[in-house]
Amino acid sequence: MSLLSDLISLNLSDCTEKVIAEYIWIGGSGMDMRSKARTLSGPVNNPSKLPTWNYDGSSTNQAPGEDSEVILYPQAIFKDPFRGGKNILVMCDAYTPGGVPIPTNKRCAAAKIFSHPDVAVEETWYGLEQEYTLLQKDVKWPLGWPVGGFPGPQGPYYCGIGADKAFGRDIVDAHYKACLYAGINVSGINGEVMPGQWEFQVGPSVGISAADELWVARYILERITEVAGVVLSFDPKPIQGDWNGAGAHTNYSTKSMRSEGGYEVIKKAIEKLGLRHKEHIAAYGEGNERRLTGRHETADINTFKWGVANRGASIRVGRDTEKAGKGYFEDRRPASNMDPYVVTSMIAETTILWKP
């Protein structure tokens, strides 16, 4: 091995009790992820035991230069797959020095919804399907595509294998293992319909932990693409034309839906989602109108409909759920660049707390 890789691989536990904590937060665009590291005197397993920290919010478009300090509150801890050992990744949210959540902090409002007694008792489960596209670094064109040109039409790429069908599998598998190492409940991966596009799934996870896990999984993925020299895109329609877009289908159930008679609870929840369709669409990701066209396994953005096993619907109910009379449903509207704090908490709020 080279000297550089030898040093990166050093096991700190051989010589010190100190550990490295990488603090992660969401930047000013609402999608850019930032992080920086600090040394701790020893291992920490509880985020409440971690110190708060600050950063220059004027450099992330989150604060003015004359009052630039933003405070990071640690919220969730994961094992660090890059440094290994007892080192950790720390998902944080951001506040003013006075303790007020800054506008891009969507976690704080989500935590209030999930801590509501009526929501907490329902033990909301989420399965989040994160689609993404890998791009060639210098030309920002999908991985495996001829520069300035197009591959063969869609058909052979979904869950495909082979050098002419699957592009970037080493990145995908590295990410899969790194997430499992970190303690993220990744349940699977697959190649998507458009070549150069992939998906990973997080869940089932309960309440706000689903969003924490998805954000850290996104962070790990972008760190891996950084090493690989590939650009990661969460654009919901990276290539115009007869190519699938990228979504973040959100599977959801409550304790009542998973119990006997749950199918009726599911139908009532879907009815409420339909009544708030416009509000949900507005919160489900920027540029989603380019994806939700009624083609390529989507429902038109202005139309709400649901169906059993219908991938052209806004809400899909699985055959197994219909047969069992209980289970879960899938909201197919969220875009790949959605904020999981917003989407998961809004679904819970609409289906449990909102009164039509």
Side-chain angles (χ1 to χ4, degrees):
M1 290 197 298
S2 68
L3 176 60
L4 185 60
S5 60
D6 283 343
L7 291 173
I8 290 173
S9 301
L10 283 175
N11 186 352
L12 295 180
S13 61
D14 291 341
C15 59
T16 180
E17 286 293 313
K18 293 179 179 179
V19 299
I20 301 171
E22 189 79 23
Y23 278 42
I24 302 166
W25 71 96
I26 300 160
S29 74
M31 272 304 293
D32 59 314
M33 302 201 72
R34 311 288 180 122
S35 75
K36 61 178 183 173
R38 68 184 299 164
T39 304
L40 304 176
S41 59
V44 178
N45 298 315
N46 187 332
S48 66
K49 304 297 184 183
L50 288 167
T52 59
W53 206 6
N54 65 75
Y55 67 90
D56 172 16
S58 69
S59 295
T60 62
N61 294 314
Q62 292 173 297
E66 64 272 15
D67 187 15
S68 64
E69 192 168 282
V70 179
I71 312 301
L72 292 172
Y73 287 32
Q75 299 291 356
I77 293 175
F78 301 86
K79 293 177 65 178
D80 187 340
F82 302 103
R83 295 189 175 103
K86 296 180 180 179
N87 302 301
I88 56 175
L89 303 177
V90 183
M91 188 64 206
C92 305
D93 59 355
Y95 296 79
T96 67
V100 178
I102 65 173
T104 50
N105 177 357
K106 307 302 183 184
R107 190 187 192 281
C108 183
K112 290 178 181 178
I113 291 171
F114 284 117
S115 63
H116 190 287
D118 292 349
V119 176
V121 75
E122 283 289 353
E123 297 174 11
T124 53
W125 288 6
Y126 295 92
L128 305 176
E129 305 174 24
Q130 178 67 69
E131 294 179 339
Y132 60 93
T133 308
L134 299 175
L135 305 176
Q136 301 170 57
K137 181 180 178 182
D138 296 326
V139 294
K140 303 294 177 66
W141 199 239
L143 202 64
W145 291 37
V147 177
F150 297 87
Q154 295 183 150
Y157 310 107
Y158 173 70
C159 298
I161 61 170
D164 59 343
K165 304 179 193 71
F167 311 115
R169 191 184 296 277
D170 53 347
I171 293 171
V172 174
D173 279 343
H175 175 248
Y176 195 175
K177 290 185 176 180
C179 284
L180 290 173
Y181 176 92
I184 295 168
N185 189 24
V186 170
S187 49
I189 56 99
N190 61 268
E192 268 304 329
V193 178
M194 189 183 86
Q197 195 176 82
W198 295 81
E199 174 183 301
F200 67 88
Q201 302 96 32
V202 168
S205 299
V206 179
I208 203 164
S209 63
D212 286 336
E213 290 181 31
L214 187 68
W215 272 117
V216 176
R218 285 173 170 178
Y219 172 84
I220 292 171
L221 179 57
E222 191 150 19
R223 285 281 305 273
I224 291 171
T225 58
E226 172 191 321
V227 173
V230 171
V231 174
L232 172 64
S233 172
F234 290 114
D235 190 302
K237 187 71 174 180
I239 304 296
Q240 294 303 307
D242 195 16
W243 303 98
N244 274 38
H249 301 154
T250 300
N251 299 276
Y252 170 73
S253 71
T254 63
K255 189 174 183 180
S256 297
M257 294 176 190
R258 298 187 297 269
S259 303
E260 292 302 320
Y263 195 51
E264 290 304 312
V265 180
I266 288 172
K267 288 193 287 186
K268 289 177 182 177
I270 294 173
E271 181 181 353
K272 293 172 77 174
L273 288 169
L275 293 174
R276 297 191 75 196
H277 177 63
K278 289 184 178 179
E279 293 94 324
H280 279 256
I281 286 295
Y284 274 15
E286 187 176 346
N288 211 9
E289 72 282 352
R290 293 182 283 117
R291 167 180 163 262
L292 296 181
T293 62
R295 300 182 63 210
H296 305 111
E297 301 180 281
T298 70
D300 181 84
I301 195 168
N302 297 310
T303 303
F304 181 88
K305 61 180 181 179
W306 73 279
V308 176
N310 183 359
R311 283 179 163 78
S314 311
I315 305 289
R316 181 184 69 87
V317 175
R319 292 283 183 203
D320 288 347
T321 293
E322 181 188 42
K323 183 178 180 180
K326 58 184 178 181
Y328 70 97
F329 64 81
E330 174 191 51
D331 191 338
R332 297 179 60 80
R333 298 171 295 172
S336 51
N337 59 0
M338 63 85 160
D339 187 327
Y341 292 130
V342 173
V343 170
T344 58
S345 62
M346 192 174 193
I347 292 173
E349 181 186 35
T350 295
T351 58
I352 300 172
L353 301 179
W354 184 64
K355 307 298 182 185

